[in-house]
Amino acid sequence: IPRQIPDQPWFMGWAFTTAVGGVMPFGACFLELFFIMSSIWMDQYYYVFGFLFLTFVILLLTCAEITILFTYFQICGEDYRWWWRSFSTGGATALYVYGYSFHYFKQLESNSVATYILYFGYMALICFGLYLITGTVGLLSALWFNKKIFGSIKID
């Protein structure tokens, strides 16, 4: 029988941690996202791939740090169900990217329904891939953190 989890404060709920967990990684990469989307949707050239790689590394590190932080808060609150929450906290960046795609769509000159379907369909696929990538990074970093922290406990 699993142990009963004590009542958690409102800021440790799933929706709040997911919403807050995606803000910082998105903030680390949203400026570069404008240039990437311009190169994809407005036929502009993108040639700063070294800076793009550095931005991607910063995005992954920020996702890992935020997920570890919220997993630590969750475990301190005696809530042991951290697996899916760590995945969704890391993957929440993709929700902000999809929201940014709505803002970016205002700049495009769309004149048909096909444009809307193609743009939002492709952006949904891209954001789903980003959700899987950042969610996996969050889950694996939280798993590594839990193994490290609980592996150092000495039981006599």
Side-chain angles (χ1 to χ4, degrees), residues 21-82:
V23 170
M24 292 225 4
F26 176 73
C29 71
F30 82 97
L31 186 61
E32 197 66 23
L33 187 64
F34 171 79
F35 295 114
I36 293 296
M37 291 178 74
S38 294
S39 69
I40 292 173
W41 299 110
M42 297 177 75
D43 294 330
Q44 295 179 358
Y45 291 110
Y46 186 83
Y47 47 87
V48 194
F49 293 108
F51 191 70
L52 175 65
F53 178 73
L54 181 65
T55 304
F56 183 68
V57 169
I58 290 171
L59 168 73
L60 295 182
L61 286 174
T62 310
C63 282
E65 289 173 355
I66 288 293
T67 305
I68 287 172
L69 180 71
F70 278 120
T71 302
Y72 178 73
F73 289 156
Q74 186 175 359
I75 289 174
C76 283
E78 300 178 15
D79 188 358
Y80 55 84
R81 301 172 299 175
W82 59 270

Side-chain angles (χ1 to χ4, degrees), residues 118-136:
L118 284 173
Y119 176 79
F120 290 112
Y122 278 124
M123 285 308 297
L125 288 174
I126 290 168
C127 289
F128 180 68
L130 182 65
Y131 182 81
L132 292 177
I133 291 170
T134 55
T136 302

Side-chain angles (χ1 to χ4, degrees), residues 68 82 139-149:
I68 287 172
W82 59 270
L139 176 68
L140 292 177
S141 64
L143 178 65
W144 173 82
F145 174 74
N146 281 333
K147 284 186 175 186
K148 279 292 193 188
I149 198 168

Side-chain angles (χ1 to χ4, degrees), residues 96-114:
Y96 285 96
V97 171
Y98 196 65
Y100 180 75
S101 71
F102 281 90
H103 174 71
Y104 184 81
F105 189 71
K106 295 175 189 174
Q107 296 178 0
L108 301 177
E109 296 177 6
S110 60
N111 53 8
S112 68
V113 176

